[in-house]
Amino acid sequence: MRTIRTRLRATAALALLPLLALTACGSGDTDGTAAVGAQASPAPTDDPVAAVRKVDSAAALLPADVRKAGTLRVGSSIGFPPGAYYPGGTDKAPAGQDIDLADAVAKVLGVKLERQDASFETILPALGSGKYDFGTGNFGVTSERLKTIDFVTYINDGQGFAVKKGNTALRTKVTDLTQLCGLTIGTGAGTTFEATLSAQKGVCAKAGKKPYDVKVYSENAATLTALQQGRIDVIMSTINGLRYQAAQPASQTAFLGEFHRLDVGFAFKKGSPLTKAFQTAVNELIEDGTYARILKKWGTDPSAIDASRINPPEHT
């Protein structure tokens, strides 16, 4: 099967839909450009990060130059709730689980974040060039990424599927990609979803079935628009994001369950001296209860981890 890579930009049709579209784990988001006139979901009002304080033992693990500068540059993919999005528009501060966790870690380490919005697919390559000290965007830990990226895990998310409500082509949980044969799948650029679909593109031919097509989108809202307009049959994206989306009546989507779990983490260039400090900070947040409060705030409790890990192997 020849993968169809279609990078669409938002059109006037996006103004008719809420900003509930999804992209990638790995799992992450894309550039988070809001559709004109679109209304994002309001953010929860509680603030579990407010009470977080510096932990000297964790801060001491940072390199001396970082402690002296007191800042870290983060490449942040802002796309969709509950991970990271703009509840008040792009001229206001972003919100979401990833935003809260990164802010909480920074407070434990006694540093401030210089957040730079970036499209999902550009962040990992930019880490190697030194443009960012670390990246966030629901980046899933995969064997391929571990060759060039270090990860500090903070949640367990992964890959799932969703369809438009009333869909008759696909009604059950997807457990095998041959269930997608003959369908058109929409997903995010540079994601684990795109990689999975590309790597398994021959499964339909082996099963004697018509191949599936893949359309890759660089903007979140375009994926949902394509689903609602019938240009794609199914979305492949993050478990937590698709579940959140399906709970919003305006999205008119149905979540088809989990396909493959992945650890998700803060991303760093290979050999970064920051990983131990970040791991210690995440574990401090787990131990003092802040971590659980952040996940409860965003409804992602089922994805909680017991302890942060550096570069765990990919789930099989």
Side-chain angles (χ1 to χ4, degrees), residues 134-212:
F134 72 103
T136 63
N138 209 64
F139 290 109
V141 180
T142 67
S143 299
E144 186 62 28
R145 285 177 175 165
L146 284 169
K147 295 176 183 178
T148 57
I149 299 295
D150 282 339
F151 289 95
V152 173
T153 62
Y154 60 81
I155 202 165
N156 180 259
D157 196 347
Q159 303 173 334
F161 294 92
V163 295
K164 184 178 178 179
K165 280 188 177 179
N167 174 284
T168 57
L170 192 63
R171 298 181 178 181
T172 61
K173 178 179 178 179
V174 177
T175 58
D176 189 299
L177 293 184
T178 57
Q179 294 171 249
L180 304 175
C181 296
L183 301 179
T184 301
I185 308 156
T187 196
T191 65
T192 63
F193 318 118
E194 182 186 11
T196 295
L197 292 168
S198 178
Q200 298 296 319
K201 62 185 179 182
V203 297
C204 294
K206 290 179 181 178
K209 298 182 178 182
K210 182 180 178 181
Y212 54 70

Side-chain angles (χ1 to χ4, degrees), residues 29-87:
D29 340 4
T30 55
D31 64 9
T33 303
V36 177
Q39 297 298 313
S41 302
T45 56
D46 52 319
D47 186 7
V49 181
V52 177
R53 298 291 181 265
K54 180 180 178 181
V55 177
D56 290 338
S57 58
L61 297 173
L62 289 171
D65 60 333
V66 174
R67 295 198 305 272
K68 181 177 180 180
T71 60
L72 287 170
R73 297 160 299 162
V74 51
S76 185
S77 178
I78 311 296
F80 62 90
Y85 71 119
Y86 287 108

Side-chain angles (χ1 to χ4, degrees), residues 157-163 170-177 179-180 193 234-246 253-261:
D157 196 347
Q159 303 173 334
F161 294 92
V163 295
L170 192 63
R171 298 181 178 181
T172 61
K173 178 179 178 179
V174 177
T175 58
D176 189 299
L177 293 184
Q179 294 171 249
L180 304 175
F193 318 118
V234 58
I235 293 173
M236 188 179 188
S237 190
T238 68
I239 293 168
N240 285 334
L242 290 173
R243 183 182 285 120
Y244 182 98
Q245 181 188 63
T253 61
F255 177 53
L256 295 184
E258 301 177 8
F259 177 70
H260 178 56
R261 278 278 175 178

Side-chain angles (χ1 to χ4, degrees), residues 212-234:
Y212 54 70
D213 285 337
V214 179
K215 290 188 177 181
V216 180
Y217 297 86
S218 291
E219 292 182 351
N220 299 310
T223 312
L224 182 59
T225 302
L227 184 71
Q228 299 291 17
Q229 294 181 347
R231 288 183 280 114
I232 60 176
D233 301 299
V234 58

